[in-house]
Amino acid sequence: MHYGGDYNPEQWSEDVWAEDVRLMRTAGVTLVTVNVFSWSVIQPRESIFEWEWLDRVLELLHENEISVDLATGTASPPPWVSERYPGVLPQDDGGATLWPGSRQHYAPTSPDYRRLAATLVTELAARYHDHPAVVMWHVNNELGCHTPWDYSDNASAAFGRWLEARYQSIEALNKAWNTVFWSQRYADFSQVLPPRKAPSFHNPGAVLDFKRFSSDALLELFIMERDIIRAAGATQPITTNLMGPFPPGDYWKWAAEMDVVSNDAYPDPNDPEAFRSLAFASDLMRGLKPDKPWLLMEQSTNAVQWRPSNARKQPGVMAAWSIQSVSRGADGVLFFQWRQSRAGAEKFHSAMLPHAGPETRVFREITALGDDLRSLPKLGIGSRARAALVFDWDNLWAIGDEALPAQLDYNEIVQRWYNAFHRQHIGVDIVNPRSDLSGYDVVVAPLLYLVSDQSAAHLSAFVEGGGHLLVSAFTDVVDETDAFRPGGYLRTLGGTFGVRVEEYDALVLPGTDGPGFRSATLDSPAGPLVGTFLVDEIHAVTADVLGRFTDGPIPGAPAFTANRFGSGVGYYLATIPDDAGMTSVVRWVAEQAGVGAEFSGLPELVEASRRDQHVFFINHGATDVWLDIPTSDAVNVGVERVYLGPQEWTWLHRP
Ligand code: GLA
């Protein structure tokens, strides 16, 4: 179990380093990430490299038995880079340059940026590939965090090349994007621009491809650095820190290139449901590489400084959230950063060692967490659940389009479906539409608007083989170019769900005012449900109608159907339920598939999650709880009732 954080000793004089390592040992730190933002210190000019300070840092850490996750330092180019090569700077969609003065001011596709980053990494890897302190490599930092979408001329040229590789001929692109509409027909790939600020809606097929291209451009940076590190002879695992369900990066594709998945997580302590979004991000990380533990690479010990109002974490919250990551498959808990900065943009960001020193609540909690992590039992790899939830970047991007029947926030809606499982303590894995689904009994695929022929065949085969698949409104609407298939909607999954979709209708968006239907209630075997956002007008073909709309735009129309298909069942819910509705429908469909809670009778604010042979319980609520432990499990813990105060946690061995 790794424990530590980003360590930026270049901010401090060397006498402070000695105190750092002494206090790191007190806190039980085992791993620090070094060199994330030191490019300007290592290479003050293009022709000069200064490594001696970093040699001394690595030596000091090694002498003190603290391992290093060595960052490549490419996330923030020094001033000479943009002074000499102004073309490295990215541009926004209005053509405004994003200037130096903060960080991440580079166009991922800039040949100069790539060459200079490659040189830095080549030198770094040659020097430290076999350093005994280095146990991991950390490429760049939060790739795409501030500048995920670049519209510069470099991006434009690279986008053209990417499109040419994808479509081979400009005719194929014209067909895929239906460019004949609004007179957009291209004669050559060089005419295609990134979706810069335009008078009205962009071509949705073009925007979708631009998002795919932008994700690939960032991934290329990772691959470039990774290959340089390997070529130098380094054998340690190589990672880059991801950011949960980060909209700009298709992490399914990225994770396949990474040795270890690592994540940065900064939920808002003021959000009462923050622990559920954190659980979702953790389960996503576990899903990205299900056969390996992942690392919580960054979180804050206390407040951040980048929200309009930055609440502290209440006592115990930092530990409870850390243990939650462990319970969901993390083999390491790290923070940004070790010592709070004295100046600079993040001076108010909390750290493991606060500005007020070690005699503080935060440092006491950090030391206690170090002890707790050391005393955990040996944990297996995160286990596979019986339920799965589909999360897919193509759909996130396509649903982000502005010209749809209703504005939908893909991440928000998928998170709410996840919460429905989480609230009921039903373990769920995060998968994509191409994942191996054998072994799952129930799969929920919310907002599966875009579906490729292969994904559709894959999901159908899951149902045919005995699985229970639930989809909601706006499913199987377009192909992977964001175009309707000929002949109507639900063209690839119609047989699986046994329904025909005629039309979509929008309700008044939740939280907004305006004339029209605010919701559409339906009857269902899971009880009455309140539908929001959309209603689909569907007709049962082979499906049984389980429930009908009782109000809204189409009272009496089928709203919830079940279709026996092979040995499984496809459920179509023709709207998007509110939170209570999601909870009921998830419970009901899971029951039909024989899937229940990991533990019954728990309060909603007590989380129960299984990691291999251990079940962890965390009380996220503000009140004390007593957990009744079933007699068979009580043998392991020695008691039949366990008390958990607010933010307290425990685990039991449950093979
Ligand atoms: C990100 C970055 C860190 C730091 C934190 C602050 O995670 O990787 O360098 O800026 O945010 O929350």
Side-chain angles (χ1 to χ4, degrees):
M1 191 63 64
H2 297 295
Y3 188 49
D6 279 21
Y7 180 38
N8 300 306
E10 66 275 20
Q11 295 184 42
W12 303 93
S13 58
E14 293 200 22
D15 51 309
V16 178
W17 301 358
E19 191 195 32
D20 283 334
V21 287
R22 183 176 62 75
L23 290 172
M24 281 180 191
R25 292 183 68 120
T26 307
V29 166
T30 61
L31 179 70
V32 289
T33 304
V34 174
N35 195 41
V36 180
F37 293 110
S38 336
W39 191 349
S40 69
V41 178
I42 288 174
Q43 200 181 1
R45 290 189 211 160
E46 188 164 0
S47 55
I48 299 175
F49 287 91
E50 291 177 354
W51 299 108
E52 292 69 24
W53 70 274
L54 188 52
D55 293 348
R56 291 197 296 281
V57 170
L58 296 195
E59 225 27 69
L60 178 67
L61 291 165
H62 187 54
E63 279 163 14
N64 284 278
E65 295 172 339
I66 297 164
S67 301
V68 171
D69 165 38
L70 187 56
T72 56
T74 51
S76 194
W80 61 261
V81 170
S82 44
E83 182 184 39
R84 251 193 183 188
Y85 308 102
V88 302
L89 297 173
Q91 285 183 349
D92 72 8
D93 63 348
T97 297
L98 305 179
W99 295 99
S102 68
R103 62 177 175 182
Q104 221 175 75
H105 44 281
Y106 61 82
T109 54
S110 152
D112 283 327
Y113 170 75
R114 288 192 178 192
R115 178 175 50 78
L116 295 167
T119 305
L120 176 67
V121 179
T122 305
E123 298 287 329
L124 180 83
R127 195 170 184 99
Y128 298 116
H129 66 276
D130 57 359
H131 195 290
V134 177
V135 297
M136 193 178 302
W137 290 83
H138 183 107
V139 167
N140 203 297
N141 190 65
E142 293 193 338
L143 281 161
C145 169
H146 304 302
T147 48
W149 293 304
D150 167 39
Y151 302 81
S152 66
D153 288 345
N154 278 320
S156 188
F159 186 35
R161 289 193 295 274
W162 184 93
L163 289 168
E164 191 159 4
R166 184 175 177 92
Y167 291 104
Q168 309 288 316
S169 74
I170 198 68
E171 293 73 36
L173 175 144
N174 280 317
K175 188 162 175 267
W177 293 0
N178 195 28
T179 54
V180 73
F181 187 70
W182 282 5
S183 186
Q184 294 170 353
R185 243 182 117 78
Y186 295 105
D188 192 89
F189 285 103
S190 61
Q191 294 177 328
V192 187
L193 299 174
R196 292 173 176 159
K197 224 178 188 56
S200 180
F201 300 119
H202 270 284
N203 184 313
V207 175
L208 176 59
D209 275 340
F210 180 69
K211 292 192 171 167
R212 289 176 174 138
F213 151 77
S214 300
S215 169
D216 284 357
L218 293 166
L219 177 57
E220 279 176 18
L221 293 182
F222 174 79
I223 291 172
M224 176 187 84
E225 293 197 19
R226 179 201 66 191
D227 290 352
I228 293 171
I229 295 166
R230 276 283 171 263
T235 54
Q236 305 91 336
I238 303 174
T239 191
T240 187
N241 42 348
L242 306 180
M243 291 161 277
F246 178 58
D250 181 349
Y251 285 168
W252 293 114
K253 207 166 170 185
W254 292 27
E257 302 290 344
M258 296 164 61
D259 297 325
V260 177
V261 164
S262 61
N263 193 44
D264 294 355
Y266 291 92
D268 185 352
N270 271 340
D271 172 5
E273 295 276 284
F275 68 96
R276 298 200 208 279
S277 61
L278 193 56
F280 174 67
S282 297
D283 283 351
L284 174 62
M285 292 304 127
R286 192 182 69 236
L288 292 176
K289 270 201 189 296
D291 54 341
K292 281 196 178 168
W294 55 279
L295 275 184
L296 178 59
M297 186 61 88
E298 281 185 31
Q299 60 171 337
S300 65
T301 57
N302 204 12
V304 300
Q305 95 304 357
W306 42 262
R307 291 193 175 94
S309 158
N310 296 294
R312 295 185 301 168
K313 287 182 176 168
Q314 290 301 307
V317 169
M318 182 269 294
W321 290 4
S322 302
I323 293 297
Q324 183 198 53
S325 299
V326 171
S327 77
R328 292 177 182 274
D331 258 7
V333 171
L334 290 91
F335 297 86
F336 174 85
Q337 60 179 333
W338 161 253
R339 183 186 279 272
Q340 189 173 347
S341 298
R342 210 178 50 75
E346 297 186 317
K347 64 180 182 297
F348 280 109
H349 194 291
S350 60
M352 299 172 81
L353 181 59
H355 185 59
E359 297 305 323
T360 48
R361 168 178 73 91
V362 165
F363 194 72
R364 281 191 290 277
E365 288 191 24
I366 281 293
T367 306
L369 179 59
D371 288 342
D372 285 343
L373 291 175
R374 268 196 306 279
S375 65
L376 285 177
K378 185 148 181 46
L379 299 167
I381 295 171
S383 37
R384 195 161 166 147
R386 292 180 58 200
L389 180 70
V390 174
F391 186 81
D392 177 43
W393 268 268
D394 264 354
N395 272 296
L396 189 164
W397 294 330
I399 289 282
D401 186 45
E402 291 177 315
L404 298 177
Q407 291 296 296
L408 301 162
D409 182 333
Y410 181 82
N411 269 8
E412 194 236 7
I413 291 171
V414 175
Q415 174 75 55
R416 289 178 41 227
W417 280 105
Y418 176 86
N419 293 352
F421 283 97
H422 193 267
R423 229 176 259 132
Q424 303 180 88
H425 318 290
I426 304 172
V428 62
D429 288 346
I430 311 300
V431 297
N432 67 53
R434 302 159 300 281
S435 300
D436 175 12
L437 299 176
S438 55
Y440 292 113
D441 296 301
V442 60
V443 173
V444 177
L447 285 180
L448 194 70
Y449 160 77
L450 177 154
V451 65
S452 68
D453 291 350
Q454 296 89 318
S455 300
H458 192 59
L459 292 165
S460 288
F462 165 71
V463 180
E464 205 168 3
H468 292 243
L469 175 64
L470 169 71
V471 296
S472 54
F474 218 39
T475 290
D476 185 12
V477 183
V478 296
D479 66 14
E480 62 267 60
T481 67
D482 204 1
F484 298 146
R485 289 188 170 83
Y489 309 109
L490 203 69
R491 297 305 291 165
T492 63
L493 290 168
T496 312
F497 294 105
V499 295
R500 188 166 65 76
V501 177
E502 185 175 330
E503 272 197 316
Y504 306 104
D505 196 1
L507 305 171
V508 176
L509 288 179
T512 64
D513 281 333
F517 293 102
R518 309 198 65 78
S519 62
T521 310
L522 59 129
D523 281 334
S524 89
L529 307 175
V530 176
T532 54
F533 290 100
L534 285 173
V535 292
D536 294 0
E537 184 162 354
I538 62 171
H539 304 276
V541 181
T542 55
D544 295 328
V545 176
L546 303 179
R548 291 179 181 274
F549 287 111
T550 50
D551 62 20
I554 40 173
F560 189 32
T561 60
N563 189 50
R564 277 237 147 254
F565 184 75
S567 18
V569 188
Y571 301 93
Y572 197 100
L573 180 58
T575 184
I576 299 172
D578 64 3
D579 286 347
M582 285 182 183
T583 303
S584 323
V585 86
V586 160
R587 184 191 314 119
W588 186 82
V589 171
E591 264 168 27
Q592 304 312 299
V595 175
E598 183 62 57
F599 241 88
S600 53
L602 290 181
E604 269 193 15
L605 293 175
V606 174
E607 171 170 356
S609 55
R610 168 180 284 278
R611 176 164 174 181
D612 196 32
Q613 307 219 338
H614 295 88
V615 180
F616 285 80
F617 300 92
I618 306 167
N619 180 10
H620 296 286
T623 50
D624 304 352
V625 289
W626 283 96
L627 307 182
D628 291 315
I629 305 295
T631 330
S632 53
D633 294 319
V635 178
N636 294 310
V637 281
V639 287
E640 289 183 18
R641 296 195 86 203
V642 173
Y643 165 82
L644 288 183
Q647 314 308 325
E648 286 187 351
W649 54 274
T650 188
W651 54 267
L652 63 87
H653 185 232
R654 197 190 208 198

